Amino acid sequence: MDINLISDTVTKPTSAMLNAMMSAEVGDDVFKEDPSVNALEQKVAEMFGKEAALFFPSGSMANQTAIKFHTNPGDQLICDKYAHVYNYEGGGASFNSGVSCRLIDGHRGMMTAEQVEAAINPPDFYHSPFTSLVCIENTTNKGGGACWDFEELKRIKAVCEKHSLGYHLDGARLWNALVAKHETPKQYGELFDTISVCLSKGLGCPIGSVLAGSSEMMDKALRIRKILGGGMRQAGYLAAAGSYALDNHIERLAEDHKKAIEIGDLLKKLPFIKKVEPIETNIIIFEIDESLYDSDGFVQKLNEKGVRLIGMGQGKLRIVTHLDYTDTKHQAFLDILGSI
Ligand SMILES: *Cc1c(COP(=O)(O)O)cnc(C)c1O
């Protein structure tokens, strides 16, 4: 049995999703003539109560596009030190937008309104970079799938309004937060200027992200997406997977979360596990007591039994539950883990 717990991006389309893709009506999306792409964009815009939305091949491109139109070269954005936009987008903020990142030393990828406000450079002090944007991530990826307290997000919004800063949400994993915290997309739409969401993580699509915002912003985003090479033609086959997932794969994320808790409970009982970080969604970050079991050896041992997971550096290991991690695989993994 192949039990791949490396990431929730390893999923393959279900047969029902494939059917939706195969029967999609398509057209040339560069001419805005793909009905399935248009339908997905409209669906996401409506979910978040935004005027418009735009389909992207990746979450990185959606985030980078947002950073581009919220900033000017030389500006600075504020984000947590764990932020995907800073750590995992190839240095795109500087490459594409000429923007630096002011990093906040937050907690599990989350910062406070006070920390954000203190990081803003005075706009009239022309020696410092001009602060123009705050980027939030929910759930936090490197932070272990942690969910924000919505009240803190509102407080940060107030800081952004006071200082005329853009407010962008990297919501690649927002669906997990919505399910875990019983929140709605509309709540987030009211708060943020722009929101990017991924279809290819927990929702199980082979590809795709969507950026939502005002019509004016999405008009700008369209041009930037083109410049970044993200103009796609009969992308409706991919968008149809997205629409299918939005209708069928959101509620079920609760199952991934439940399995993650069960794995965490078992890990905590194993004598060679030093620490398991709090589990709020589908990501489990844990540490091995290296004096009892070397973490490479642990990963190797699981590998031999058909289980794959990855290290995050500094002795931390990560497990991510997902759509293709079935009940059968879950039981098999718990048995394997218990026998080590
Ligand atoms: C996955 C992810 C992204 C986007 O990644 P792509 O691989 O470019 O689609 C962005 N932010 C977070 C928090 C993510 O987990």
Side-chain angles (χ1 to χ4, degrees):
M1 202 183 305
D2 174 34
I3 304 177
N4 190 339
L5 295 165
I6 287 178
S7 170
D8 48 11
T9 54
V10 302
T11 54
K12 293 175 188 163
T14 60
S15 53
M17 181 182 280
L18 275 177
N19 282 338
M21 295 170 75
M22 299 294 276
S23 53
E25 258 190 78
V26 297
D28 190 336
D29 182 50
V30 167
F31 294 106
K32 288 298 208 183
E33 283 178 0
D34 187 304
S36 300
V37 172
N38 294 341
L40 172 68
E41 291 177 347
Q42 199 180 342
K43 191 180 182 76
V44 173
E46 275 168 18
M47 281 176 97
F48 286 94
K50 289 293 192 194
E51 285 170 355
L54 196 62
F55 185 48
F56 281 81
S58 74
S60 296
M61 197 190 280
N63 284 333
Q64 291 302 319
T65 297
I67 291 171
K68 183 72 190 166
F69 68 70
H70 280 300
T71 62
N72 288 308
D75 285 2
Q76 192 162 68
L77 66 79
I78 296 172
C79 64
D80 185 88
K81 66 182 187 296
Y82 281 177
H84 195 281
V85 294
Y86 171 70
N87 289 287
Y88 302 122
E89 298 185 5
S94 52
F95 188 93
N96 300 312
S97 304
V99 162
S100 58
C101 298
R102 176 75 168 262
L103 302 180
I104 306 283
D105 187 15
H107 176 62
R108 303 186 77 215
M110 300 175 290
M111 48 217 185
T112 64
E114 286 75 19
Q115 284 178 308
V116 171
E117 189 154 34
I120 300 170
N121 293 325
D124 50 355
F125 188 69
Y126 63 83
H127 308 275
S128 315
F130 183 79
T131 309
S132 49
L133 176 65
V134 175
C135 291
I136 299 289
E137 187 174 315
N138 197 16
T139 72
T140 63
N141 182 337
K142 200 174 160 74
C147 303
W148 280 76
D149 171 8
F150 197 77
E151 289 307 309
E152 199 62 47
L153 294 175
K154 284 202 224 163
R155 296 176 66 231
I156 296 177
K157 165 75 171 177
V159 170
C160 290
E161 279 183 338
K162 182 173 156 199
H163 297 274
S164 305
L165 309 180
Y167 199 29
H168 173 68
L169 174 64
D170 174 358
R173 304 178 165 280
L174 185 66
W175 312 113
N176 295 90
L178 296 179
V179 167
K181 303 266 285 186
H182 306 289
E183 295 164 342
T184 65
K186 289 239 163 48
Q187 280 177 271
Y188 282 84
E190 278 168 22
L191 218 53
F192 287 92
D193 298 321
T194 46
I195 298 175
S196 67
V197 290
C198 275
L199 305 166
S200 58
K201 304 278 171 75
L203 295 194
C205 293
I207 178 173
S209 282
V210 182
L211 181 69
S214 68
S215 308
E216 196 191 332
M217 284 177 191
M218 291 308 107
D219 285 347
K220 287 186 184 156
L222 183 62
R223 179 182 292 272
I224 296 165
R225 187 186 70 175
K226 175 74 186 175
I227 294 169
L228 296 177
M232 298 180 284
R233 302 295 180 176
Q234 287 71 31
Y237 294 115
L238 307 173
S243 291
Y244 176 86
L246 292 173
D247 290 338
N248 297 282
H249 288 173
I250 296 181
E251 303 304 322
R252 65 151 305 285
L253 290 171
E255 295 170 33
D256 299 345
H257 300 172
K258 181 166 164 279
K259 288 188 178 109
I261 296 271
E262 287 167 6
I263 294 168
D265 286 345
L266 179 55
L267 283 171
K268 280 178 206 156
K269 287 187 196 135
L270 301 177
F272 54 91
I273 303 289
K274 189 160 77 184
K275 184 180 170 203
V276 181
E277 289 185 12
I279 298 163
E280 294 181 53
T281 52
N282 67 330
I283 302 179
I284 304 144
I285 294 179
F286 62 104
E287 278 172 60
I288 307 259
D289 184 341
E290 299 261 355
S291 66
L292 296 174
Y293 211 135
D294 139 73
S295 62
D296 289 343
F298 176 73
V299 171
Q300 176 81 36
K301 179 111 185 159
L302 285 175
N303 243 304
E304 283 161 17
K305 295 178 186 278
V307 179
R308 285 195 281 164
L309 53 102
I310 46 168
M312 301 184 71
Q314 293 146 356
K316 285 187 184 178
L317 297 175
R318 187 179 89 160
I319 286 173
V320 188
T321 59
H322 52 77
L323 182 62
D324 288 359
Y325 178 63
T326 57
D327 291 347
T328 316
K329 289 186 180 187
H330 183 49
Q331 199 48 58
F333 176 54
L334 292 181
D335 292 345
I336 292 167
L337 205 53
S339 71
I340 283 183

